[in-house]
Amino acid sequence: MRTKREERLVEITDAAAGFFARSLREHPLGAMARQVCDERGLSQESINTFRLGYAPHAWDALGAFLRQKGFSLEDAEAVGLVVPRRGSGHYDRFRHRLMFPICDHQGRIVAFSGRILPPPPGEDEEREGGAKYINSPEGPLYTKGQVLFGLHEGRVETRRTGWCLLCEGNFDLVK
C-alpha cells in the first residue's frame, strides 16, 4: 500500500517526465536531443513508449515548472530532480540532457537517467560537459539495483516468449 507521500512523489516524477517530453518536442534546443535520437535510429514510437525527453539548458526550468504546478521543491529534491543551492533555493539536477525515465515494475516513474548532449550553439565547445550520464540518486522511490530500465516496457513480451535480452546501455534497449 502506497503512502500519501509516495503518491505525491510519483506525481512529481510523472509531471517531470511530461515536462521533459514536451521540451523534447517544443523547446528550441530540444532539436539537439531529437537529432541524437535520429542519429541513433530511434523511432517516434520508441521515443513515445519510453517517454524520452529533453531537460532544458537552464538552471531552474524544471524547478519553476514544478513550483507553478504546486509541487514542493523539497519533494522534488527527495526524488533527485533538484539540488539545494549552498545559500538558499534549488537548481535543476538535469540540464541540457536527453532524458530517459526509469520505471519500476508497476510502470511508475521512479528515477531518471540523463545523457549529455553536444554544447548548445554559442557555448564553449572545448568546455568539459560533465559525465556522459547523470542518474537520479537513490531516494524514497528508487534504489539502484532493484530497478531495471525497460523491465516494465518489456514485461509482456518477456512473459509471452519466456526470455529476455539484457542490454548495457539505454540506447541499446530503446532501439
Side-chain angles (χ1 to χ4, degrees), residues 24-131:
L24 180 64
R25 292 187 310 270
E26 299 174 5
H27 193 281
L29 294 178
M32 295 181 76
R34 291 191 307 272
Q35 181 179 351
V36 169
C37 291
D38 289 345
E39 290 168 357
R40 293 296 191 116
L42 302 186
S43 68
Q44 190 60 51
E45 180 182 1
S46 290
I47 291 168
N48 294 340
T49 297
F50 288 91
R51 296 185 69 184
L52 301 189
Y54 169 69
H57 183 60
W59 286 101
D60 65 351
L62 176 62
F65 169 80
L66 293 173
R67 274 193 316 274
Q68 187 237 349
K69 292 293 184 186
F71 294 110
S72 82
L73 291 186
E74 289 72 25
D75 284 343
E77 180 184 342
V79 292
L81 293 170
V82 297
V83 178
R85 292 186 192 273
R86 287 188 189 168
S88 66
H90 294 81
Y91 63 91
D92 295 350
R93 177 178 305 276
F94 303 102
R95 296 177 308 280
H96 192 58
R97 289 181 177 269
L98 177 61
M99 298 301 294
F100 295 83
I102 300 171
C103 297
D104 66 9
H105 67 284
Q106 298 172 321
R108 302 177 311 160
I109 298 171
V110 295
F112 291 90
S113 181
R115 187 187 194 289
I116 197 167
L117 295 169
E123 291 280 320
D124 183 4
E125 303 241 350
E126 300 299 317
R127 194 172 132 247
E128 180 66 32

Side-chain angles (χ1 to χ4, degrees), residues 1-3 6-7 10 13-14 49 51 101-111 140-142 146-156 159:
M1 184 170 189
R2 291 186 220 173
T3 65
E6 191 175 323
E7 288 178 10
V10 169
T13 57
D14 194 62
T49 297
R51 296 185 69 184
I102 300 171
C103 297
D104 66 9
H105 67 284
Q106 298 172 321
R108 302 177 311 160
I109 298 171
V110 295
L141 298 179
Y142 174 67
Q146 292 185 358
V147 179
L148 183 62
F149 176 68
L151 181 62
H152 176 73
E153 292 82 0
R155 74 194 185 291
V156 172
R159 203 174 290 127

Side-chain angles (χ1 to χ4, degrees), residues 136-172:
S136 296
E138 291 190 358
L141 298 179
Y142 174 67
T143 303
K144 188 177 178 179
Q146 292 185 358
V147 179
L148 183 62
F149 176 68
L151 181 62
H152 176 73
E153 292 82 0
R155 74 194 185 291
V156 172
E157 189 67 13
T158 298
R159 203 174 290 127
R160 187 184 71 73
T161 62
W163 66 275
C164 71
L165 177 66
L166 295 180
C167 302
E168 180 181 2
N170 295 353
F171 281 116
D172 298 327

